[in-house]
Amino acid sequence: MSAEHKIMQFPVKSPYHPETAENVLRGFAAFQAEQADSAELTDLRIEGLNYVTQHGLPTPKLEGWKYTNIIPAVRGFDRLGTVRVSSNTVPGVIAQPLVKSIVEQDWVKKLICDSQTSTDLNINPILWHLANMYFRDGVSIDVPANTEVKEPLEIVMECDDGAFYVVHTAIRVGANASLTIIEDHRGKGKFWKNRLSHITVAPGGHLTHIRIQDDSKDAVYTQNTKVTVAKDGHYNAVALYTGAAISRNQIHVLLTEPGALCHLNGASLMRGKQHSDTTILVEHLAPHCESNQNMRTILDDQSHGVFQGKVHVHQIAQKTDGYQLSKAILLSEGAEMDTKPELEIYADDVKCSHGATTGRLEDEPMFYMRSRGIPEAEARALLIESFVAEIFDEVKGEEIREQLLERVRGWLEK
Amino acid sequence: MLQIKNLHAAIDGKEILKGINLSIPTGEVHAIMGPNGSGKSTLSYVLAGRDGYEITQGEILLNGENIMEMAPEERAAAGVFLAFQYPVEIPGVQMTTFLKTALNAVRKQRGQKELDALDFLKLMKKKQKELSISDEMLKRAVNVGFSGGEKKRNEVLQMAMLEPTLAVLDETDSGLDIDALKIVADGVNALRDPKRSFLVITHYQRLLDYIVPDKVHVLANGKIIKTGDAELAKELEKTGYAGLTGEAA
Ligand SMILES: Nc1ncnc2c1ncn2[C@@H]1O[C@H](COP(=O)(O)OP(=O)(O)OP(=O)(O)O)[C@@H](O)[C@H]1O
Ligand SMILES: [Mg+2]
């Protein structure tokens, strides 16, 4: 033993960088001064403010943010813009601006003010708090029990150049009600849109949620979605990402009662230096639930794709059916895909599987098609389209599916 | 019409075709037989323009034009068709879409008018009937879930649709039951035409009873070692290749 014993003190290394939030904090006092709603909402905002002040924005030092660095892209934004949220009028759907519904309707207030953030490392709550801190713009959507809504509800969220935006959505699908929502994001210019969506599907309710993310190639898009599905409820999501310079899609689904089901389908088509991150956590909190995550990624040029998907099966959740598959195709040498599929299982009688593949477009089908006279570019487009189209199979309406395929073809033609 | 002169081709630095000379005049049917691994499929791929083969010597002329620099789709438009020994499955691409895209791509390159949905469907129905291919099969993805025999019939359907001037059939008879063999052979014979040539690769004389060739070539170890008429195939059926290649069968 050595004679001298020195106790070393290591500095605590924090993954948080409070200074990264400086710009987005700057406008808060002026913003809050303009809001004259309720003490509860002030509390919500202050809680968000405190969290963001202490933790800064998410950096790649954080577990769960290893592959995605939004800091350089959001650095310039210090002005909060106003989002123009609009939707079509659909019989059976009550859609209202949040500022109104949050004071008039208890369920909206509960959903926004009482929702808990996740403690899972992938589903970091910073951007959630950033959204709460600037709570104002957004929409609430309500479908009363037993209402079968045939016509899809289309929502547009418009942003302008040069600012950052915060948008909230609160969606409730009543017992045995059904609804299809189509979100179409086509913002122009350079902006940052940070979203927080709360969705609740009551027993026997069905929600099909289609998100088309085609914001400008200079935009930053971050979204947090929290979904709760009750007994025999279905949440079907289909997302098509072709837009934004950088996007982070953080989706947290809780299957809380037997028979709840969620299918999360996503396709990401990236080129140039685009970056697209889909991070999912599905929690099975009751027996006999089913979850299915299906991701298709096409990466050209120097684009970068990220898929982090986790299925967390709690001890009580026997007879769980949990499935997860990510398939990516790299079209160029410079493209990169990072995948982190995870299963965390505490029940013993479950059926779970996961898989992830990353590869190139196969030579054999290419040659087969070309030998039939189909030019290389067209053969490639057909193969890519069919690769992506698999995840649209869930979409019931022929018209909507065709609309999604049109967008894929549009991307391929560029 | 097809002239192959002293063709040498290698893959990954390994020479597979070692000086092939072969001429198929317009309107003739030639058969190629030969042991496994002798280079028959390689020859068919090189004709169709598959990547990865290094042509070290020789040339391929189609109607007097050198096609070696042409992309596979350009060769298809120029009239080359290859029925694959192992037809490729393409999940997600529906047969009908595939056929229509191919036909119109070829027509466009040939300077012909593209077919609209109705005319295309009429043509497809006609050809499909001749080859006993069900509607259900054409609703599926290309070759996905097709039986071995269905895949081969599907190759012939594509050939019938694309109307090539040089059709290379690589073991299209393998895996066919007796009835299917008859259907496929009838399909091929229906396409025999003074303006169309065939190169039929097969292991079995049986096929040549139906599709009677003008000439039979034996390919062994990357070279054509013997050429004869339809009788040669019958002899080979009895004697095997041992006598020709000098190796034990
Ligand atoms: N990609 C490759 N790399 C290396 N060798 C190859 C490759 N493709 C083919 N070969 C070799 O080339 C030779 C000829 O193969 P080919 O498929 O042309 O034979 P074949 O005459 O068609 O045989 P079969 O009667 O079994 O169909 C074989 O020895 C095969 O192993
Ligand atoms: Mg072969």
Side-chain angles (χ1 to χ4, degrees):
Chain A
M1 278 237 149
S2 73
E4 265 178 290
H5 253 66
K6 240 187 197 168
I7 295 167
M8 302 269 284
Q9 286 247 306
F10 290 100
V12 181
K13 257 202 168 172
S14 165
Y16 296 107
H17 288 262
E19 75 283 0
T20 54
E22 245 168 57
N23 277 343
V24 291
L25 292 173
R26 200 168 294 150
F28 182 75
F31 168 82
Q32 176 57 24
E34 279 175 20
Q35 311 308 317
D37 26 41
S38 69
E40 255 165 319
L41 290 176
T42 304
D43 288 349
L44 180 80
R45 293 187 183 106
I46 298 295
E47 192 196 339
L49 170 77
N50 289 339
Y51 197 93
V52 176
T53 308
Q54 281 164 27
H55 295 85
L57 297 177
T59 72
K61 293 252 169 60
L62 294 179
E63 182 69 36
W65 278 81
K66 208 160 50 184
Y67 305 116
T68 298
N69 186 4
I70 60 167
I71 302 300
V74 302
R75 192 170 279 143
F77 298 111
D78 58 0
R79 185 174 68 78
L80 182 76
T82 303
V83 189
R84 295 180 302 279
V85 184
S86 57
S87 63
N88 56 338
T89 308
V90 172
V93 179
I94 306 156
Q96 285 182 318
L98 264 182
V99 279
K100 186 165 147 46
S101 56
I102 201 160
V103 280
E104 291 172 3
Q105 295 178 49
D106 225 29
W107 73 270
V108 178
K109 195 174 74 191
K110 274 222 175 81
L111 211 50
I112 302 239
C113 297
D114 298 348
S115 281
Q116 299 295 309
T117 59
S118 162
T119 51
D120 187 272
L121 288 170
N122 283 354
I123 306 293
N124 181 289
I126 293 178
L127 294 175
W128 166 300
H129 286 293
L130 178 67
N132 278 347
M133 167 184 166
Y134 285 112
F135 174 83
R136 181 188 65 198
D137 302 340
V139 62
S140 67
I141 294 159
D142 192 16
V143 183
N146 303 312
T147 314
E148 190 191 335
V149 181
K150 289 255 162 57
E151 195 186 333
L153 179 76
E154 291 170 31
I155 308 177
V156 178
M157 299 173 188
E158 283 178 274
C159 300
D160 298 313
D161 190 65
F164 77 94
Y165 296 84
V166 167
V167 204
H168 288 252
T169 26
I171 300 170
R172 180 172 74 167
V173 175
N176 302 313
S178 70
L179 173 70
T180 295
I181 294 177
I182 305 176
E183 288 177 19
D184 199 348
H185 299 267
R186 296 199 228 192
K188 301 264 179 300
K190 197 173 169 171
F191 57 84
W192 173 18
K193 179 158 52 181
N194 182 43
R195 302 184 54 198
L196 178 53
S197 306
H198 299 282
I199 299 172
T200 168
V201 179
H206 282 222
L207 176 62
T208 300
H209 190 181
I210 295 165
R211 257 180 298 123
I212 303 176
Q213 163 46 252
D214 193 19
D215 279 328
S216 97
K217 298 281 185 287
D218 297 317
V220 180
Y221 179 82
T222 50
Q223 63 122 335
N224 307 265
T225 300
K226 181 175 176 179
V227 187
T228 307
V229 189
K231 191 174 186 332
D232 299 324
H234 287 196
Y235 177 70
N236 269 323
V238 176
L240 175 62
Y241 307 105
T242 52
I246 182 164
S247 68
R248 163 85 170 196
N249 300 280
Q250 208 165 275
I251 297 149
H252 180 195
V253 182
L254 299 105
L255 304 172
T256 57
E257 290 172 0
L261 170 152
C262 77
H263 286 187
L264 307 173
N265 296 290
S268 181
L269 285 69
M270 298 281 121
R271 57 163 62 101
K273 288 188 167 15
Q274 280 181 292
H275 179 113
S276 161
D277 173 334
T278 296
T279 296
I280 294 172
L281 170 65
V282 176
E283 290 192 66
H284 284 259
L285 294 152
H288 295 283
C289 293
E290 179 190 321
S291 72
N292 191 330
Q293 303 171 38
N294 231 325
M295 189 74 203
R296 298 287 178 275
T297 308
I298 298 281
L299 301 170
D300 204 352
D301 305 324
Q302 285 96 51
S303 60
H304 189 173
V306 178
F307 175 75
Q308 307 186 103
K310 189 193 264 189
V311 183
H312 181 156
V313 182
H314 292 256
Q315 200 171 358
I316 188 177
Q318 301 295 355
K319 306 284 177 192
T320 283
D321 212 328
Y323 175 84
Q324 190 191 91
L325 180 64
S326 157
K327 293 205 271 184
I329 289 180
L330 309 181
L331 297 177
S332 95
E333 290 288 327
E336 192 186 331
M337 180 75 196
D338 289 300
T339 44
K340 200 170 89 180
E342 288 174 283
L343 295 175
E344 207 176 309
I345 301 174
Y346 299 100
D348 46 35
D349 185 12
V350 301
K351 231 169 69 195
C352 285
S353 71
H354 68 178
T357 62
T358 300
R360 312 216 159 250
L361 219 49
E362 284 178 73
D363 291 341
E364 285 232 316
M366 272 299 279
F367 173 61
Y368 191 68
M369 289 192 165
R370 293 178 70 189
S371 79
R372 270 46 177 154
I374 304 174
E376 189 174 10
E378 215 177 327
R380 185 189 254 248
L382 261 177
L383 287 179
I384 295 174
E385 186 186 315
S386 67
F387 175 79
V388 170
E390 258 185 295
I391 64 136
F392 301 149
D393 288 350
E394 297 260 344
V395 182
K396 298 221 171 52
E398 186 63 43
E399 217 170 289
I400 302 175
R401 190 163 52 230
E402 196 46 42
Q403 194 184 329
L404 287 164
L405 283 174
E406 265 320 306
R407 297 294 269 269
V408 172
R409 285 178 204 132
W411 183 86
L412 286 164
E413 274 160 24
K414 268 181 214 156
Chain B
M1 71 113 30
L2 175 72
Q3 283 173 289
I4 301 172
K5 295 179 183 167
N6 190 31
L7 182 68
H8 289 251
I11 186 153
D12 296 332
K14 179 180 157 198
E15 188 167 63
I16 311 279
L17 302 182
K18 303 171 179 171
I20 293 203
N21 289 293
L22 177 67
S23 285
I24 308 181
T26 306
E28 288 195 3
V29 175
H30 286 206
I32 288 192
M33 303 182 83
N36 294 132
S38 57
K40 303 180 298 294
S41 293
T42 303
L43 175 64
S44 75
Y45 285 145
V46 169
L47 285 172
R50 187 176 187 149
D51 280 345
Y53 296 94
E54 193 195 345
I55 313 256
T56 47
Q57 271 186 70
E59 56 183 1
I60 305 168
L61 305 176
L62 186 68
N63 298 321
E65 196 190 344
N66 189 339
I67 61 166
M68 289 196 310
E69 295 301 316
M70 285 161 69
E73 57 269 30
E74 292 169 334
R75 298 187 199 199
V80 178
F81 181 89
L82 168 62
F84 284 54
Q85 181 175 359
Y86 304 109
V88 180
E89 297 186 5
I90 313 179
V93 179
Q94 209 204 358
M95 263 314 297
T96 317
T97 312
F98 172 71
L99 278 175
K100 183 161 182 258
T101 311
L103 180 62
N104 279 336
V106 160
R107 290 182 67 94
K108 198 168 154 191
Q109 291 177 82
R110 288 177 186 164
Q112 295 165 323
K113 204 170 124 295
E114 292 179 42
L115 293 188
D116 62 23
L118 200 66
D119 286 340
F120 167 78
L121 226 57
K122 267 195 221 152
L123 182 68
M124 189 179 75
K125 288 260 176 244
K126 182 166 164 275
K127 306 281 184 191
Q128 162 194 358
K129 218 168 156 191
E130 288 166 5
L131 292 159
S132 308
I133 289 173
S134 66
D135 287 346
E136 188 272 325
M137 226 170 103
L138 295 181
K139 286 204 183 88
R140 281 190 252 161
V142 179
N143 290 320
V144 175
F146 288 24
S147 75
E150 285 171 340
K151 282 182 182 168
K152 296 301 172 87
R153 261 185 285 155
N154 186 25
E155 293 294 285
V156 180
L157 171 69
Q158 293 171 46
M159 174 169 74
M161 297 288 285
L162 296 177
E163 303 187 318
T165 47
L166 171 69
V168 181
L169 304 169
D170 190 359
E171 294 197 27
T172 304
D173 55 332
S174 297
L176 292 182
D177 64 38
I178 298 157
D179 295 337
L181 180 71
K182 182 106 182 25
I183 292 168
V184 163
D186 288 347
V188 173
N189 284 329
L191 289 168
R192 282 184 85 154
D193 186 289
K195 294 197 285 292
R196 184 170 289 137
S197 312
F198 288 87
L199 183 60
V200 180
I201 298 169
T202 182
H203 285 296
Y204 307 106
Q205 134 73 19
R206 192 181 61 160
L207 175 72
L208 304 178
D209 282 340
Y210 293 107
I211 307 171
V212 181
D214 297 293
K215 285 219 166 82
V216 175
H217 309 274
V218 178
L219 183 68
N221 195 18
K223 271 186 181 161
I224 288 177
I225 55 165
K226 191 170 172 110
T227 295
D229 58 16
E231 286 304 306
L232 175 58
K234 291 189 182 132
E235 273 169 46
L236 288 171
E237 185 91 347
K238 285 192 215 113
T239 61
Y241 299 112
L244 293 174
T245 56
E247 292 161 22

